[in-house]
Amino acid sequence: MKKDFYLMRYALIIRRLEKSPATYKQLKNYLLNSFEFQDAGIKEYSIRTLQRDLLEIDKLFGLTVSNRRNGDNCYYIESRPEMEIDEYNQKLLETYQMGNALNVSHSHSDAIFFDNRKPGGLNHIYNLFFAIRNLRISKFHYYNYQTRKITPRKVHPLALKESRDRWYLIAVDRKDKKLKSFGLDRISNLSVTEAMYVNEYDYNFREYFKNAFGVMKLEDQSPEKIVIECSRQQGEYIMGFPLHHSQKVVGKIDKNIVFEFFLHPTYDFLQEILSYGKEVKVLEPQSLINEIKVHLMESMKNYF
């Protein structure tokens, strides 16, 4: 069996067991009949491989699979991590699944097409991840779009965050001891030093970004209820790919769909709303409505 196929196996096993308990034979048939296994040309799956896979699934994703319930010899998901971690693991699995599917189908470049626009700075991710895990002080040069200047930075790297297809480093700047976000595409001359910093920070980033849209300075404003009205067609797109986990449908106006969110009304969110043009209208809060009016008026000046 191909060694680089293990992540796909884990994803398929979890997908099958989330439907219902299954015997080894049922799991084996499910895997061998999957399109993923067929594309990879895999025609066998032993009980020993299953047992190894279940141990790795437990270690990687904190998801315990057992086969001792009522003596029926069926494998089933016995326990899983807390909800937030489980959601993270699910996204990780989906990423693995797509990545492995593309590796299997690498010869079918006429069937799968990628956007030519790629985020910058991805070459920094591994080094920064290493720095975060090992509490290493890091140095780099950073370009500021507003001042159009490049400045040297020395930081305590704490986390990496993806937002709207861009990656950001969340770190404490040693110059002023403030928590900041740095776009990886604007980082150059990165150096992970041998010096370690004392991890005296108690940031809970899951909680910190819980009501966030983007990575703007969240301390500047509090999260609040935001209500928008969308055309039926645009609303269905937003239901299919939610803007935020707090999103919920709260009603209809004529044929339009009304959504409610609870988040920080950041500039990133304002930009997202503006990108939908006439298809989306903000109903509340008034402060966001006023801000959008100002932006629209300024935009109009560009065409007169």
Side-chain angles (χ1 to χ4, degrees):
M1 182 170 295
K2 295 185 177 181
K3 292 182 179 179
D4 60 353
F5 199 64
Y6 62 97
L7 293 172
M8 176 63 75
R9 298 200 310 266
Y10 302 164
L12 288 170
I13 290 168
I14 293 172
R15 185 201 298 172
R16 173 60 184 84
L17 292 180
E18 283 181 333
K19 293 180 179 179
S20 65
T23 63
Y24 158 66
K25 184 177 180 180
Q26 289 171 327
L27 278 170
K28 176 182 176 181
N29 289 339
Y30 177 80
L31 295 174
L32 295 181
N33 289 323
S34 68
F35 290 123
E36 291 88 348
F37 268 55
Q38 291 176 34
D39 271 348
I42 296 172
K43 298 182 179 180
E44 56 84 22
Y45 185 72
S46 69
I47 185 78
R48 291 185 63 187
T49 302
L50 171 62
Q51 291 167 346
R52 286 197 300 268
D53 286 351
L54 296 181
L55 289 174
E56 289 302 313
I57 286 172
D58 194 358
K59 280 198 289 187
L60 277 175
F61 305 106
L63 200 152
T64 304
V65 175
S66 180
N67 68 337
R68 300 189 185 91
R69 187 174 61 176
N70 300 326
D72 60 8
N73 206 31
C74 281
Y75 292 90
Y76 66 98
I77 297 174
E78 183 176 28
S79 65
R80 57 196 317 149
E82 60 187 78
M83 186 171 64
E84 285 185 344
I85 298 175
D86 204 25
E87 289 174 356
Y88 171 82
N89 287 342
Q90 188 63 38
K91 188 164 186 177
L92 199 60
L93 271 171
E94 289 168 1
T95 303
Y96 286 156
Q97 194 166 357
M98 175 59 75
N100 277 275
L102 295 180
N103 285 335
V104 168
S105 306
H106 67 277
S107 61
H108 304 303
S109 58
D110 57 341
I112 299 175
F113 300 92
F114 293 98
D115 194 331
N116 288 329
R117 186 179 68 170
K118 297 179 180 179
L122 295 184
N123 54 305
H124 299 314
I125 282 185
Y126 182 82
N127 288 347
L128 289 172
F129 183 56
F130 175 86
I132 291 166
R133 292 185 64 184
N134 294 279
L135 306 179
R136 296 287 186 86
I137 296 171
S138 300
K139 299 186 295 184
F140 52 83
H141 288 95
Y142 193 68
Y143 179 71
N144 186 303
Y145 285 141
Q146 289 182 322
T147 63
R148 303 175 75 176
K149 293 181 179 179
I150 297 175
T151 56
R153 304 295 182 109
K154 184 181 284 189
V155 303
H156 296 171
L158 301 178
L160 290 163
K161 187 178 190 305
E162 182 268 337
S163 177
R164 302 172 75 189
D165 298 323
R166 292 177 183 268
W167 280 92
Y168 297 84
L169 169 67
I170 311 300
V172 172
D173 194 328
R174 283 172 61 93
K175 183 178 180 180
D176 55 16
K177 307 300 182 183
K178 290 184 178 180
L179 184 70
K180 300 177 182 179
S181 62
F182 301 93
L184 265 57
D185 56 321
R186 288 178 270 164
I187 288 176
S188 60
N189 299 322
L190 172 66
S191 171
V192 177
T193 73
E194 294 291 328
M196 297 177 66
Y197 65 87
V198 178
N199 189 8
E200 56 188 0
Y201 310 108
D202 59 355
Y203 292 108
N204 182 339
F205 287 114
R206 289 189 183 279
E207 191 64 29
Y208 187 82
F209 289 114
K210 181 179 179 180
N211 299 310
F213 189 94
V215 292
M216 305 299 286
K217 293 180 180 178
L218 304 182
E219 311 89 54
D220 296 345
Q221 51 198 171
S222 299
E224 57 185 301
K225 182 175 76 171
I226 297 174
V227 181
I228 65 173
E229 176 187 345
C230 305
S231 65
R232 182 192 60 78
Q233 183 177 359
Q234 187 60 59
E236 289 180 350
Y237 277 112
I238 292 176
M239 283 192 289
F241 189 23
L243 299 182
H244 189 257
H245 67 82
S246 67
Q247 173 179 310
K248 58 183 178 181
V249 177
V250 294
K252 291 186 177 181
I253 299 177
D254 296 327
K255 293 183 179 180
N256 293 346
I257 303 172
V258 180
F259 293 96
E260 180 182 302
F261 305 88
F262 186 75
L263 46 74
H264 297 267
T266 59
Y267 183 75
D268 285 343
F269 186 72
L270 182 145
Q271 291 289 91
E272 182 73 17
I273 294 300
L274 289 173
S275 71
Y276 295 115
K278 65 182 180 61
E279 302 297 318
V280 173
K281 175 184 177 182
V282 175
L283 301 181
E284 57 178 285
Q286 188 61 47
S287 58
L288 183 56
I289 294 172
N290 294 339
E291 198 171 354
I292 286 177
K293 285 180 179 179
V294 170
H295 277 268
L296 290 175
M297 293 298 290
E298 292 295 322
S299 296
M300 288 286 287
K301 292 178 182 179
N302 292 331
Y303 298 96
F304 291 97

